[in-house]
């Protein structure tokens, strides 16, 4: 009944809470700090839904492509001259993903 691992994990968690107690309740003192992580959760929601509905990434290349697309797509605000597909393909083929804007 007395699981030493559970006790160790509980103790470690309690120590973590004590070390970070000021940061945990910072939102009570500062109006510019959100009480929840709702915005962060909403930001990653499309990637999570995509992963769950597609069955995840089956290869390293697929994981890399998904990573690039999910990190870039939220920041695209205006249409690109050659279309998003052209830029995504180019970024995914480059050893270091970059955007090459054609004028």
């Amino acid at each position: 009944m007395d699981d030493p691992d559970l006790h160790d994990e509980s103790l470690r968690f309690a120590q973590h809470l004590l070390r970070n107690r000021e940061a945990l309740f910072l939102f009570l003192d500062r109006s510019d700090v959100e009480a929840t992580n709702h915005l962060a959760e909403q930001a990653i929601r499309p990637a999570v839904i995509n992963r769950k509905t597609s069955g995840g990434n089956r290869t390293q290349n697929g994981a890399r492509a998904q990573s690039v697309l999910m990190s870039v797509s939220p920041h695209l605000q205006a249409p690109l001259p050659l279309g998003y597909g052209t830029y995504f393909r180019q970024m995914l083929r480059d050893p270091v993903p970059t955007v090459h804007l054609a004028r």
Side-chain angles (χ1 to χ4, degrees):
M1 297 256 304
D2 189 24
D3 186 352
D5 290 334
L6 180 61
H7 176 72
D8 290 345
E9 289 176 21
S10 299
L11 184 60
R12 201 167 34 251
F13 181 59
Q15 290 170 339
H16 171 77
L17 292 175
L18 286 172
R19 277 193 309 272
N20 296 287
R21 65 182 169 268
E22 289 179 28
L24 289 173
F25 298 103
L26 186 62
F27 69 94
L28 294 173
D29 296 325
R30 291 183 39 191
S31 62
D32 63 319
V33 176
E34 291 287 329
T36 69
N37 67 343
H38 180 71
L39 292 176
E41 292 285 340
Q42 291 303 306
I44 66 169
R45 186 170 172 76
V48 171
I49 291 172
N50 184 48
R51 187 189 75 235
K52 287 186 177 203
T53 58
S54 69
N57 298 308
R58 300 193 196 310
T59 66
Q60 281 296 102
N61 285 342
R64 180 173 174 269
Q66 182 67 24
S67 171
V68 170
L69 293 173
M70 288 292 118
S71 64
V72 172
S73 61
H75 303 288
L76 297 174
Q77 295 175 355
L80 296 171
L82 299 178
Y84 295 123
T86 301
Y87 293 102
F88 283 146
R89 279 190 296 279
Q90 190 172 10
M91 282 188 300
L92 295 172
R93 288 181 184 143
D94 287 348
V96 176
T98 55
V99 175
H100 306 279
L101 295 175
R103 300 278 175 198

Short mmCIF file of all heavy atoms in Angstrom, two decimals, residues 34-49 70 74:
data_model
loop_
_atom_site.label_atom_id
_atom_site.label_comp_id
_atom_site.label_asym_id
_atom_site.label_seq_id
_atom_site.Cartn_x
_atom_site.Cartn_y
_atom_site.Cartn_z
N GLU A 34 -2.19 36.17 -17.88
CA GLU A 34 -3.40 35.35 -17.94
C GLU A 34 -3.39 34.29 -16.84
O GLU A 34 -2.35 33.76 -16.48
CB GLU A 34 -3.48 34.65 -19.30
CG GLU A 34 -3.74 35.58 -20.46
CD GLU A 34 -5.19 36.07 -20.47
OE1 GLU A 34 -6.09 35.35 -20.03
OE2 GLU A 34 -5.37 37.21 -20.93
N ALA A 35 -4.56 33.96 -16.36
CA ALA A 35 -4.69 32.93 -15.33
C ALA A 35 -4.67 31.52 -15.94
O ALA A 35 -4.46 30.55 -15.23
CB ALA A 35 -5.97 33.14 -14.54
N THR A 36 -4.88 31.43 -17.22
CA THR A 36 -4.90 30.12 -17.88
C THR A 36 -3.94 30.11 -19.05
O THR A 36 -3.42 31.15 -19.44
CB THR A 36 -6.32 29.79 -18.43
OG1 THR A 36 -6.59 30.67 -19.52
CG2 THR A 36 -7.37 29.96 -17.35
N ASN A 37 -3.76 28.96 -19.63
CA ASN A 37 -2.93 28.83 -20.82
C ASN A 37 -3.81 28.64 -22.06
O ASN A 37 -3.40 28.03 -23.04
CB ASN A 37 -1.92 27.69 -20.68
CG ASN A 37 -2.59 26.33 -20.64
OD1 ASN A 37 -3.79 26.22 -20.40
ND2 ASN A 37 -1.81 25.29 -20.85
N HIS A 38 -5.01 29.17 -22.01
CA HIS A 38 -6.00 28.98 -23.08
C HIS A 38 -5.45 29.38 -24.46
O HIS A 38 -5.62 28.65 -25.42
CB HIS A 38 -7.27 29.76 -22.76
CG HIS A 38 -8.33 29.64 -23.80
ND1 HIS A 38 -9.03 28.47 -24.00
CD2 HIS A 38 -8.77 30.52 -24.73
CE1 HIS A 38 -9.88 28.64 -25.00
NE2 HIS A 38 -9.75 29.87 -25.45
N LEU A 39 -4.79 30.52 -24.55
CA LEU A 39 -4.26 30.97 -25.85
C LEU A 39 -3.22 29.99 -26.39
O LEU A 39 -3.20 29.68 -27.58
CB LEU A 39 -3.67 32.37 -25.74
CG LEU A 39 -4.69 33.49 -25.49
CD1 LEU A 39 -3.97 34.82 -25.30
CD2 LEU A 39 -5.68 33.57 -26.63
N ALA A 40 -2.37 29.49 -25.53
CA ALA A 40 -1.35 28.52 -25.96
C ALA A 40 -2.01 27.22 -26.41
O ALA A 40 -1.62 26.64 -27.42
CB ALA A 40 -0.37 28.25 -24.83
N GLU A 41 -3.02 26.78 -25.67
CA GLU A 41 -3.74 25.56 -26.05
C GLU A 41 -4.42 25.73 -27.41
O GLU A 41 -4.40 24.83 -28.23
CB GLU A 41 -4.79 25.21 -24.99
CG GLU A 41 -4.21 24.77 -23.67
CD GLU A 41 -3.63 23.37 -23.70
OE1 GLU A 41 -4.00 22.60 -24.60
OE2 GLU A 41 -2.82 23.06 -22.83
N GLN A 42 -5.02 26.88 -27.63
CA GLN A 42 -5.69 27.13 -28.90
C GLN A 42 -4.70 27.22 -30.05
O GLN A 42 -5.00 26.83 -31.18
CB GLN A 42 -6.53 28.41 -28.83
CG GLN A 42 -7.74 28.27 -27.93
CD GLN A 42 -8.66 27.14 -28.35
OE1 GLN A 42 -9.08 27.07 -29.50
NE2 GLN A 42 -8.95 26.24 -27.43
N ALA A 43 -3.50 27.72 -29.77
CA ALA A 43 -2.48 27.85 -30.82
C ALA A 43 -2.02 26.49 -31.34
O ALA A 43 -1.74 26.34 -32.53
CB ALA A 43 -1.29 28.65 -30.30
N ILE A 44 -1.94 25.49 -30.46
CA ILE A 44 -1.47 24.18 -30.91
C ILE A 44 -2.61 23.25 -31.32
O ILE A 44 -2.37 22.15 -31.83
CB ILE A 44 -0.60 23.48 -29.83
CG1 ILE A 44 -1.42 23.14 -28.59
CG2 ILE A 44 0.63 24.32 -29.51
CD1 ILE A 44 -0.70 22.22 -27.63
N ARG A 45 -3.84 23.68 -31.14
CA ARG A 45 -5.00 22.83 -31.45
C ARG A 45 -5.00 22.28 -32.89
O ARG A 45 -5.22 21.09 -33.09
CB ARG A 45 -6.28 23.58 -31.16
CG ARG A 45 -7.53 22.74 -31.32
CD ARG A 45 -8.75 23.49 -30.77
NE ARG A 45 -9.97 22.81 -31.07
CZ ARG A 45 -10.41 21.72 -30.45
NH1 ARG A 45 -9.68 21.18 -29.50
NH2 ARG A 45 -11.56 21.17 -30.79
N PRO A 46 -4.74 23.11 -33.92
CA PRO A 46 -4.74 22.56 -35.29
C PRO A 46 -3.73 21.42 -35.47
O PRO A 46 -4.03 20.43 -36.14
CB PRO A 46 -4.38 23.76 -36.17
CG PRO A 46 -4.78 24.94 -35.36
CD PRO A 46 -4.55 24.56 -33.93
N ALA A 47 -2.56 21.55 -34.87
CA ALA A 47 -1.55 20.50 -35.01
C ALA A 47 -1.99 19.22 -34.31
O ALA A 47 -1.79 18.11 -34.82
CB ALA A 47 -0.21 20.97 -34.44
N VAL A 48 -2.62 19.35 -33.15
CA VAL A 48 -3.08 18.19 -32.40
C VAL A 48 -4.19 17.48 -33.17
O VAL A 48 -4.19 16.25 -33.31
CB VAL A 48 -3.55 18.60 -30.99
CG1 VAL A 48 -4.23 17.44 -30.28
CG2 VAL A 48 -2.38 19.12 -30.18
N ILE A 49 -5.15 18.25 -33.68
CA ILE A 49 -6.25 17.65 -34.44
C ILE A 49 -5.71 16.95 -35.69
O ILE A 49 -6.11 15.83 -36.01
CB ILE A 49 -7.30 18.71 -34.81
CG1 ILE A 49 -8.03 19.16 -33.54
CG2 ILE A 49 -8.28 18.19 -35.84
CD1 ILE A 49 -8.95 20.34 -33.75
N MET A 70 3.24 23.51 -39.45
CA MET A 70 2.51 23.97 -38.27
C MET A 70 3.16 25.20 -37.64
O MET A 70 2.49 26.02 -37.04
CB MET A 70 2.40 22.86 -37.24
CG MET A 70 1.44 21.78 -37.64
SD MET A 70 -0.27 22.39 -37.64
CE MET A 70 -0.73 22.18 -39.34
N PRO A 74 0.50 29.57 -38.96
CA PRO A 74 -0.21 30.59 -38.18
C PRO A 74 0.27 32.01 -38.43
O PRO A 74 -0.44 32.97 -38.18
CB PRO A 74 0.06 30.20 -36.73
CG PRO A 74 0.54 28.81 -36.76
CD PRO A 74 1.17 28.61 -38.10
#
